[in-house]
Amino acid sequence: MNKVILLALSMPVTAFSQVMENSGSDNLPGTACQGDVVITEIMADPLPVVSLPSKEYLEIFNRTESVFNLKNWSLSDGNSRCIFPEKILLPGEYLILCQQQDTVLFKDFGKTAGLKSFPALTNSGKTLYIRDSKAKLIHGVRYSSDWYGNILKDGGGWSLEIIDTGYPFFEKGNWRASVSLEGGTPGKVNSVSGVNRDIYF
């Protein structure tokens, strides 16, 4: 079963694979461990529009009881890197990430952060990863259009949603096309949310 692909910033040309365990909670308050904040939704192909804005977005989720300040965290696809503004992420809270100029389009859906140089989310898939202000890897995912599992939805307008945030490093088997009538669930619990234990971990 595919696992998340982690890219080392110190080795920009060489990628390596690594299976990551669920995070612990022994760090100081406000300091994130791997897997504490995770990517939970990917809108890579918003057209044709179902109901949501016709713009790409990501959603991240704080799955801990800690409060994190995301200032100077980064989102990267291996080619481009964008820096988070100062944004407080509360326990159990979602945050929508999008192009800076698209923030106004998503603000009614939930807490939103506009990022300069937001990476293009290619329809076929790519690797995305988040690092904290000290460049420590927090979460990464290598998504693919194969994950939709629905030929009627992989042509655009529907987001990919993680099923079980308890296993954020379980890849293909833990993602599927949104079943929301809007085409996605930015800023709130995923429409496909459920128990989906990674039995291969």
Side-chain angles (χ1 to χ4, degrees), residues 174-194:
N174 200 28
W175 289 77
R176 59 179 291 201
S178 176
V179 296
S180 168
L181 295 178
E182 295 186 325
T185 55
K188 60 184 180 182
V189 176
N190 288 347
S191 63
V192 301
S193 180

Side-chain angles (χ1 to χ4, degrees), residues 45 47-48 50 145 148-159 177-178 183:
D45 187 5
L47 299 174
V50 175
S145 59
Y148 285 94
N150 187 321
I151 194 170
L152 298 177
K153 293 183 176 181
D154 63 12
W158 303 85
S159 71
S178 176

Side-chain angles (χ1 to χ4, degrees), residues 9 60 69-77 80-87 95-100 103 112-119 129-136:
L9 286 177
I60 61 175
N69 186 344
L70 305 185
K71 183 179 181 180
N72 292 327
W73 283 35
S74 64
L75 168 68
S76 177
D77 63 359
S80 62
R81 177 172 172 265
C82 49
I83 305 299
F84 285 66
E86 184 164 8
K87 188 70 70 170
L95 179 66
I96 304 164
L97 306 178
C98 61
Q99 287 277 8
Q100 192 171 53
T103 304
T112 305
L115 306 180
K116 293 181 180 179
S117 303
F118 185 78
Y129 56 96
I130 295 173
R131 292 182 182 270
D132 68 10
S133 59
K134 296 182 179 179
K136 180 174 66 179

Side-chain angles (χ1 to χ4, degrees), residues 13-61:
V13 179
T14 304
F16 61 92
S17 300
Q18 175 182 343
V19 176
M20 293 171 53
E21 298 180 358
N22 291 335
S23 64
S25 58
D26 54 348
N27 279 24
L28 296 173
T31 301
C33 298
Q34 292 174 343
D36 282 353
V37 176
V38 298
I39 298 169
T40 50
E41 188 168 353
I42 303 167
M43 177 62 90
D45 187 5
L47 299 174
V49 169
V50 175
S51 181
L52 297 173
S54 59
K55 301 294 182 180
E56 297 176 353
Y57 69 84
L58 296 175
E59 175 194 81
I60 61 175
F61 172 63

